């Protein structure tokens, strides 16, 4: 091989640049694989038919024209451009264009406001007021006509207009579904808002909601997540309840792990007591044992209210109670471990000064050590929050009924069981993405801590 | 400070942790051992049966299935994801601008909850889901893709031969020449498609059933393969970050010296990176084995969308024995299986202690 000094410098530079290019290319490719899956799942959560084949990357919910139309129709229907609806005083103008092939007579479409339930699964159970009982459709009038060709066929484009009014006074209704039917031969071309489905060989164009509002159109599955699943006892949104439960549990788990974890970690790192080494080894052992090994007894302990102790707080049992999830995880061995490692890394002199001044270990710990431990506490907060927010197994064991007590991951399983069979994946995916928001926000803000958390837990093996 | 006072303070500091550890770990562990020797249904008092549960377990089909699935899953996923994470880390370890951005992006999938990630993947694996669509697209465009690949290799070979004749020391996959070949191949393929010489194949639809099937591939149920794919995908980034931390400790000069001696990136990877990272690799392998042995969430979320025996793992077997749907709980079986799981985990840890810790790469 030729020695590098003899090689043309341009050749070497060219090679270096090209290598950088290939590295970026590879990085982009792998990144596309990772994020691409999330992206296709995300746009699918906006679709009407999440299992459509072939898969479309562009569809009505992604078109700005429909966004604007949905906004205006929501305004017309309920003076709510975001979520739309159908409220007293509504006057919804709508135009639709059909193609009539040559030799056929143009017949205006027949407009119907059907009594349609808002979907499969949990939503099918709920009985609400129907727009059909309050809506009045004006006669369909022709506004324009022009000759042209459509898919290679000569004929006429006919444009119609009609108005849907809310008659009299009544409740505000969430949705205004509509079906437009034309005789065979005529074809639907376009409308103020793109329809959700074209059925019966193109004869029926069907809208789930003529007055959706921006969010109600683009994020209709997300709106359904909140609207459809409702508590049987209180009627409030289950998904909202689950989110609150998850936050409640995560909050107290984090507080417990920060406080008790750092206390125990400090004792293990700094104080001398008999059995210290044995306790440390036992702690490592407890970190390795799978959760499934200890859950049977823990379940029974919680069922009996921790040896009856919870009766002091008026609770017979901790099953189906958020504290049943919190208590066994209120101080985890890994939190103690992380804090112990951290305390061992800070210089002893800081505390010794306080101890010589006559402060007790408690005072030293709370006044001197904890205030300088913010980096470790920050990493531990993120790690614990993430663990608690994402945890699935233990909440699944403890929280079984009613659905009001679920956490988000358990609730997602309930969604999957209720909607999966019907193939209503839009709503399931929407729920999954909604449940990710807090973690993703945390990740974006505290990225550094996440990465540190990994290297912390990397120490534990 | 007096010894005894210090010990008392320590007890004060440790009290909350010790009570949780005592009740929810030690007591729980001992009780599981006890339950494994009893017949117990959660409602009536446990009845001592000695080793009967264990004897019955190792004759039960479902348990053996669970054991086999778990072992294969754990082994396969660990090998593949460790290797891929290491390769990815080696790529990301290059000193180029914007590498932090890619690190962030790659890490994203692994912070998501297993529930959310699994639901997304169950959708991907539907019969009319995205995976089948993507496979169908690839199959339909195979003629174009293969032509493109062939042209790329052809251009590359011609160029390399040409440069070598000029006496330049080009490697077979010289990046600069590869870029030229890529552009040329792209242009020519595009031209052929525009001319209509090449066209995607029509009427190709992939309808593989990924979840609700009893079919097997290489003796492993297809649904288990689906879980394997999904978990490799979500765990790679975490391990990649650990490897990256380790890679940054390796002096750059070693690579530079190797490059001067004419080592290719692939040679550098196997001859420098892998040996020097051995302690970290051991750590990652152990973490991965422990984690994968406990596979539960994905199995539970897939639920009855796949036949139970093709996805069941030890962890799920334990849960299913204690909370079977519409049957009497068999806590003794569950406890026995749980202890088998614990033993497996312990074996992994002991192996790592035996081989991993004392190893120092350099």
């Amino acid at each position: 091989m030729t020695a590098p000094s003899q090689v043309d410098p341009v050749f070497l530079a060219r090679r270096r640049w090209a290598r950088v290019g290939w590295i970026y290319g590879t990085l982009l490719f792998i990144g596309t694989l990772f994020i691409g899956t999330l992206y296709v799942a995300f746009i699918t959560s906006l679709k009407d038919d999440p299992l459509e084949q072939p898969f479309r990357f562009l569809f009505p919910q992604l078109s700005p024209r429909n966004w604007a139309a949905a906004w205006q129709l929501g305004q017309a229907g309920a003076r709510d451009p975001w979520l739309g609806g159908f409220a007293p005083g509504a006057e919804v103008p709508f135009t639709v264009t059909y193609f009539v092939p040559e030799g056929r007579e143009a017949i205006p479409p027949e407009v119907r406001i059907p009594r349609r339930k808002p979907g499969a699964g949990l939503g099918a159970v709920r009985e609400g007021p129907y727009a059909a009982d309050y809506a009045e459709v004006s006669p369909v009038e022709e506004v324009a006509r022009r000759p042209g060709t459509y898919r290679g066929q000569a004929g006429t484009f006919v444009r119609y207009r009609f108005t849907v009014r809310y008659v009299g006074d009544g409740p505000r209704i969430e949705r205004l579904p509509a079906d437009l039917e034309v005789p065979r031969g005529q074809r639907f071309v376009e409308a103020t808002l793109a329809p959700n489905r074209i059925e019966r060989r193109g004869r029926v164009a069907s809208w789930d909601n003529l007055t959706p509002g921006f969010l109600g159109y683009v994020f209709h599955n997300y709106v359904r997540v909140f609207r459809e699943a409702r508590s049987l006892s209180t009627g409030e949104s289950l998904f909202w309840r689950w989110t609150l439960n998850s936050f409640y549990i995560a909050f107290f788990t984090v507080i417990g792990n920060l406080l008790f974890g750092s206390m125990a970690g400090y004792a293990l790192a700094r104080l001398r007591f008999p059995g210290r080494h044995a306790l440390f080894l036992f702690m490592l052992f407890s970190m390795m044992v799978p959760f499934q090994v200890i859950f049977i007894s823990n379940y029974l302990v919680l069922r009996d209210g921790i040896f009856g102790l919870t009766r002091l707080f008026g609770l017979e049992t901790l099953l189906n109670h958020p504290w049943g999830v919190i208590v066994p995880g209120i101080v985890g061995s890994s939190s103690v471990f992380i804090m112990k490692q951290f305390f061992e890394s800070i210089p002893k002199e800081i505390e010794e000064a306080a101890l010589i001044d006559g402060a007790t270990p408690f005072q030293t710990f709370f006044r001197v050590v904890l205030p300088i431990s913010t980096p470790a506490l920050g990493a531990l907060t993120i790690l614990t929050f993430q663990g608690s927010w994402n945890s699935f197994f233990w909440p699944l064991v403890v929280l079984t009924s009613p659905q009001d007590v679920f956490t988000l991951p358990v609730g997602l399983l309930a969604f999957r069981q209720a909607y999966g069979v019907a193939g209503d994946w839009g709503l399931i995916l929407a729920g999954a993405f909604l449940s990710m928001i807090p973690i993703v926000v945390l990740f974006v803000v505290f990225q550094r801590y996440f990465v540190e958390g990994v290297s912390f837990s990397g120490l534990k093996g | 400070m007096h010894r005894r006072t210090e010990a008392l303070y320590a007890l004060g500091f440790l009290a909350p942790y010790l009570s949780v550890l005592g009740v929810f770990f030690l007591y729980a562990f001992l009780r599981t051992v006890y339950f494994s020797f009893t017949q117990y249904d959660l409602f009536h008092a446990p009845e001592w049966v000695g080793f009967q549960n264990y004897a019955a377990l190792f004759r039960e089909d479902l348990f053996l299935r669970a054991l086999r699935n778990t072992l294969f899953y754990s082994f396969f996923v660990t090998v593949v994801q460790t290797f891929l994470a290491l390769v990815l880390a080696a790529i990301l370890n290059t000193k180029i601008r914007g590498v932090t951005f890619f690190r962030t992006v790659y890490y994203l999938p692994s912070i998501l909850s297993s529930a959310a990630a699994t639901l997304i993947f169950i959708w991907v694996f539907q019969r009319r889901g995205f995976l089948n669509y993507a496979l169908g697209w690839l199959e339909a465009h195979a003629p174009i893709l293969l032509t493109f690949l062939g042209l790329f290799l052809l251009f590359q070979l011609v160029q390399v031969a040409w440069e070598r004749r000029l006496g330049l020391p080009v490697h077979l996959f010289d990046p600069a020449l590869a870029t030229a070949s890529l552009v040329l191949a792209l242009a020519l393929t595009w031209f052929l498609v525009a001319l209509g010489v090449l066209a995607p194949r029509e009427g190709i639809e992939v309808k593989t059933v990924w979840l609700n099937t009893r079919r097997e591939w290489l003796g492993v149920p297809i649904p288990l393969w689906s879980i394997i794919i999904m978990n490799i995908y979500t765990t790679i980034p975490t391990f990649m970050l650990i490897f990256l931390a380790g890679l940054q400790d390796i002096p750059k000069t070693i690579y530079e010296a190797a490059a001067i001696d004419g080592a290719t990136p692939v040679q550098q990877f196997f001859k420098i990176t892998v040996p020097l990272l051995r302690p970290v690799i051991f750590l990652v392998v152990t973490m991965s084995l422990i984690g994968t042995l406990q596979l539960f969430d994905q199995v539970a979320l897939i639920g009855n969308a796949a036949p139970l025996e093709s996805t069941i793992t030890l962890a799920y077997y334990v849960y299913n024995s204690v909370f079977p749907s519409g049957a009497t709980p068999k806590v003794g079986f569950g406890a026995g299986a749980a202890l088998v799981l614990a033993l497996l985990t312990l074996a992994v840890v002991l192996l790592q202690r035996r081989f991993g810790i004392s190893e120092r790469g350099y």
Side-chain angles (χ1 to χ4, degrees), chain A residues 56-319:
Chain A
R56 282 186 300 167
F57 286 91
L58 286 176
F59 47 94
Q61 274 83 2
L62 291 186
S63 127
R65 194 184 147 260
N66 285 321
W67 299 349
W71 171 280
Q72 279 156 8
L73 288 168
Q75 180 74 34
R79 282 187 207 87
D80 183 349
W82 294 106
L83 287 169
F86 194 50
E91 199 168 310
V92 184
F94 207 78
T95 61
V96 57
T97 308
Y98 280 92
F99 174 76
V100 187
E102 228 167 317
R104 275 182 194 269
E105 196 191 342
I107 297 168
E110 187 191 323
V111 183
R112 252 175 304 126
I113 309 292
R115 291 166 159 268
R116 196 180 291 141
K117 290 196 175 185
L122 300 165
V125 186
R126 209 156 48 89
E127 197 74 43
Y130 288 104
D133 300 332
Y134 301 94
E136 185 194 70
V137 183
S138 73
V140 179
E141 51 183 284
E142 189 182 313
V143 279
R145 191 180 276 240
R146 73 183 161 84
T149 50
Y150 186 69
R151 296 200 177 147
Q153 224 178 348
T156 326
F157 289 100
V158 189
R159 185 187 234 189
Y160 301 102
R161 183 168 62 199
F162 61 88
T163 312
V164 185
R165 281 192 195 82
Y166 196 113
V167 186
D169 210 22
R172 183 201 161 111
I173 299 159
E174 285 169 0
R175 299 170 326 118
L176 173 63
D179 287 341
L180 261 63
E181 188 171 356
V182 284
R184 209 155 40 148
Q186 301 194 24
R187 282 160 175 272
F188 172 85
V189 182
E190 58 165 13
T192 310
L193 184 74
N196 298 96
R197 282 171 303 279
I198 302 279
E199 286 168 335
R200 284 196 260 157
R201 294 167 168 245
R203 282 175 56 199
V204 176
S206 178
W207 283 262
D208 286 339
N209 192 355
L210 277 189
T211 53
F214 176 77
L215 292 177
Y217 184 71
V218 183
F219 293 97
H220 62 288
N221 283 319
Y222 292 75
V223 175
R224 284 177 58 205
V225 165
F226 286 103
R227 277 189 181 160
E228 276 184 31
R230 298 212 171 249
S231 161
L232 291 175
S233 49
T234 59
E236 65 175 349
S237 161
L238 273 177
F239 195 83
W240 191 232
R241 187 76 247 160
W242 299 339
T243 312
L244 292 180
N245 290 344
S246 275
F247 268 116
Y248 182 87
I249 290 172
F251 178 76
F252 285 104
T253 308
V254 167
I255 297 288
N257 275 284
L258 285 184
L259 181 65
F260 301 144
S262 55
M263 279 165 63
Y266 183 71
L268 279 169
R270 284 291 199 263
L271 300 175
R272 284 161 302 162
F273 57 92
R276 191 173 112 164
H277 191 64
L279 178 62
F280 180 65
L281 287 182
F282 189 68
M283 183 178 90
L284 289 184
F285 174 68
S286 75
M287 282 159 70
M288 287 156 207
V289 171
F291 210 76
Q292 283 79 15
V293 178
I294 50 170
F295 89 98
I296 306 170
S297 163
N298 290 356
Y299 172 80
L300 294 170
V301 167
L302 290 182
R303 186 184 71 178
D304 305 335
I306 319 189
F307 313 115
L309 282 178
T310 55
R311 290 207 191 110
L312 298 174
F313 303 95
L315 285 170
E316 264 317 294
T317 169
L318 275 183
L319 292 185

Side-chain angles (χ1 to χ4, degrees), chain B residues 268-332:
Chain B
Q268 289 175 19
F269 178 77
F270 282 106
K271 296 270 161 69
I272 302 175
T273 310
V274 173
L276 288 188
L277 270 188
R278 222 144 99 184
V280 187
I281 294 177
F282 258 106
L283 175 77
V284 165
V285 165
T286 313
M287 280 171 64
S288 167
L289 284 174
I290 294 179
T292 48
L293 281 173
Q294 300 175 19
L295 175 72
F296 173 85
D297 303 5
Q298 288 76 357
V299 181
L301 280 153
I302 287 178
N304 49 15
L308 181 65
E309 63 269 29
S310 50
T311 51
I312 193 165
T313 57
L314 277 181
Y316 193 80
Y317 181 89
V318 176
Y319 176 83
N320 200 40
S321 317
V322 181
F323 302 112
S325 45
T328 324
K330 288 193 284 187
V331 178

